């Protein structure tokens, strides 16, 4: 089993930046590909980005590509989401997730989920 805890969310102005962290429990973090998803009020949970077990493969939704960057530090059991040039439409709860298989854009492929961290982009 894996426990995931997100942090780093908050209120930021349009054009600003935030760095989200997702800390995982256990000693087998490198056995999991990781994903970031977000869910805004009244909308479905949507894929944001994913990273392979070793960090060599990184994938992004079209809406965040070029603005967001996913990374991981397996020694720290942590995955990050660097968010730059934030827009009001980025406002959502952001969730990290883990899968023992390959990274995926589909939420149902992930076995473990954190509780989310709130990101609000507003002036």
């Amino acid at each position: 089993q894996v426990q995931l805890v997100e942090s780093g969310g908050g209120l930021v102005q349009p054009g600003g930046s935030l760095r989200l962290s997702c800390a995982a429990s256990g000693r087998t973090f490198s056995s999991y590909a990781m994903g970031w998803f977000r869910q805004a009020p009244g909308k479905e949970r949507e894929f944001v980005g994913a990273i392979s077990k070793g960090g060599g493969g990184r994938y992004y939704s079209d809406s965040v590509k070029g603005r967001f960057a996913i990374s991981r530090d397996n020694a720290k059991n942590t995955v990050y989401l660097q968010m730059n040039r934030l827009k009001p439409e980025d406002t959502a709860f952001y969730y990290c997730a883990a899968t023992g298989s390959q990274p995926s854009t589909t939420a149902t492929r992930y076995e473990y989920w954190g509780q989310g961290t709130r990101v609000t982009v507003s002036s």
Side-chain angles (χ1 to χ4, degrees), residues 81-120:
L81 184 68
Q82 178 67 46
M83 306 185 296
N84 300 320
R85 306 198 309 279
L86 283 159
K87 305 175 180 179
E89 50 262 47
D90 295 318
T91 296
F93 268 89
Y94 283 71
Y95 301 86
C96 66
T99 176
S101 60
Q102 296 194 46
S104 175
T105 62
T106 303
T108 55
R109 302 301 297 176
Y110 291 83
E111 302 141 57
Y112 306 101
W113 291 82
Q115 293 300 306
T117 186
R118 181 180 177 89
V119 173
T120 302

Side-chain angles (χ1 to χ4, degrees), residues 13-82:
Q13 295 178 339
S17 297
L18 282 174
R19 183 180 176 88
L20 306 184
S21 298
C22 176
S25 65
R27 305 173 70 181
T28 58
F29 179 67
S30 62
S31 297
Y32 297 91
M34 302 294 295
W36 285 97
F37 293 78
R38 66 187 183 187
Q39 188 166 22
K43 296 186 180 296
E44 297 294 315
R45 189 167 298 189
E46 295 183 331
F47 171 76
V48 176
I51 189 166
S52 61
K53 296 174 181 180
R58 286 176 275 253
Y59 313 91
Y60 303 95
S61 68
D62 289 342
S63 62
V64 308
K65 189 175 183 179
R67 298 189 297 121
F68 292 10
I70 190 170
S71 62
R72 68 190 295 162
D73 187 339
N74 286 347
K76 296 181 178 179
N77 280 16
T78 303
V79 64
Y80 305 94
L81 184 68
Q82 178 67 46

